Amino acid sequence: MRIVYVNGDYLPETEAKVSIFDRGFLMADGVYEVTSVLGGKLIDFDGHAVRLERSLRELDMKMPMAKDALLEVHRELVRLNGIDEGMIYLQITRGAPGDRDFVFPDPETTAPTVVLFTQNKPGLADSPAAKKGMRVISIEDIRWGRRDIKTVQLLYPSMGKMMAKKAGADDAWMVQDGFVTEGTSNNAYIVKGNKIITRALSNDILHGITRAAVLRFAREAQMEVEERNFTLDEAKAADEAFITSASTFVMPVVEIDGVSLGDGTPGRVAPRLREIYLEESRKAAV
Ligand code: PDD
């Protein structure tokens, strides 16, 4: 049975408990991180820890433990569950004040709730989906205005995945004022010739940890990167497209709203970036 972490304890998943008054449960008042594990080691841990601290700060919460201690909890869960390839999910909420109230509880008397669990995914890196590429549909982006904060408020992204599933596609790209913001749980890119185009960082999108690494590797490999808005029409006319996230790394997109990109295969740039990302990330893994 899976061993999970709850507020300082390592417990079998069936014994782990969180209050019904937890603000994560009642109000989606919490943030999360997903860190991938390859070869039993953590990918981009530092980036995820830094973003976690920022998400918490933006919501007037504090890191519940030092970064080193957090790393140890991640490592202990990997060890206890024997994870070679997979993910670690971490969630921190504003805690359980003992009743329902819109007003934030006093952090002196209400401790945050800290939960971590592993997801075992053998074959995560050698994914067949990465060889085939994925198909996306477009949907309107109707999320709130602080998408840079990684909150657990994931109802609309879940609905987007369901809309994609219903349409026989793999995922959805969200569009605001005609411009693509991001995927339901990933950052979105198009490729034109040798140029990689992706929306610039703002409150409109999550500042992907994989995005930062992939753009750095792309520049190091002398690829051209343009951080700007792109329209859905521009995406449909692109040579290639792809997404990035901690759980998919770099994943080619071969179809948008039923329109095939290029020759309908993953193309040249996305598979190359995936290869570089996996190689470099494994080297830097902790
Ligand atoms: N999602 N944009 C959104 C809306 C996301 O939810 C995610 C991550 C990303 C990519 O960020 P990163 O490269 O740091 O994983 C972009 C995680 C994986 C999830 O919800 O499971």
Side-chain angles (χ1 to χ4, degrees):
M1 189 189 291
R2 176 160 52 174
I3 304 293
V4 304
Y5 175 95
V6 186
N7 297 327
D9 295 324
Y10 295 91
L11 300 166
E13 62 185 41
T14 49
E15 284 171 35
K17 288 191 175 66
V18 173
S19 164
I20 63 158
F21 297 114
D22 195 276
R23 289 182 60 93
F25 178 61
L26 295 180
M27 298 179 168
D29 187 359
V31 301
Y32 76 108
E33 281 295 333
V34 176
T35 305
S36 56
V37 178
L38 290 177
K41 288 184 168 178
L42 300 155
I43 303 299
D44 273 334
F45 176 80
D46 258 7
H48 289 284
V50 168
R51 184 175 62 192
L52 173 67
E53 190 162 14
R54 178 182 181 275
S55 290
L56 289 168
R57 193 169 55 239
E58 292 297 313
L59 298 175
D60 280 328
M61 285 193 262
K62 285 199 183 76
M63 279 284 266
M65 63 181 96
K67 217 166 77 178
D68 286 357
L70 195 61
L71 175 59
E72 279 322 304
V73 175
H74 279 72
R75 282 181 165 156
E76 184 63 3
L77 279 182
V78 167
R79 192 185 69 76
L80 288 170
N81 293 286
I83 306 294
D84 180 52
E85 287 196 3
M87 278 106 69
I88 301 195
Y89 177 86
L90 164 151
Q91 176 168 330
I92 299 174
T93 76
R94 205 180 303 273
D99 199 359
R100 180 174 184 265
D101 187 351
F102 282 83
V103 174
F104 291 176
D106 181 352
E108 295 298 323
T109 49
T110 300
T113 301
V114 183
V115 167
L116 286 92
F117 57 81
T118 53
Q119 293 185 287
N120 193 23
K121 303 267 180 196
L124 186 66
D126 194 24
S127 146
K131 293 182 185 79
K132 223 173 93 209
M134 54 190 276
R135 296 182 301 163
V136 303
I137 58 163
S138 63
I139 60 173
E140 195 63 27
D141 197 340
I142 61 164
R143 296 173 300 161
W144 78 324
R146 289 304 306 273
R147 304 158 192 161
D148 56 310
I149 308 173
K150 200 165 171 57
T151 72
V152 295
Q153 194 190 317
L154 297 177
L155 181 54
Y156 190 62
S158 293
M159 290 168 73
K161 298 255 190 211
M162 291 312 294
M163 289 184 243
K165 199 173 165 184
K166 231 173 154 179
D170 304 300
D171 203 353
W173 277 14
M174 294 180 280
V175 178
Q176 173 175 297
D177 303 325
F179 295 102
V180 174
T181 52
E182 59 188 333
T184 58
S185 63
N186 42 69
N187 290 115
Y189 309 72
I190 58 172
V191 178
K192 285 187 152 190
N194 285 322
K195 206 182 295 168
I196 298 161
I197 301 159
T198 193
R199 195 179 178 102
L201 297 181
S202 71
N203 292 353
D204 292 341
I205 61 169
L206 186 73
H207 303 189
I209 301 307
T210 320
R211 176 190 185 279
V214 165
L215 292 187
R216 179 161 50 84
F217 297 142
R219 286 178 173 121
E220 281 169 13
Q222 316 300 329
M223 296 179 192
E224 206 182 325
V225 175
E226 219 171 84
E227 294 180 68
R228 64 160 172 87
N229 284 2
F230 61 89
T231 63
L232 191 59
D233 285 340
E234 195 178 3
K236 287 177 189 169
D239 298 323
E240 279 183 47
F242 62 93
I243 58 157
T244 65
S245 77
S247 50
T248 60
F249 311 118
V250 178
M251 188 68 73
V253 168
V254 294
E255 195 184 292
I256 303 173
D257 286 337
V259 178
S260 284
L261 305 186
D263 61 2
T265 69
R268 199 172 41 82
V269 174
R272 175 88 189 104
L273 278 176
R274 181 181 177 88
E275 203 178 302
I276 298 174
Y277 177 78
L278 286 172
E279 191 181 317
E280 295 299 322
S281 304
R282 279 182 198 278
K283 272 194 244 166
V286 298

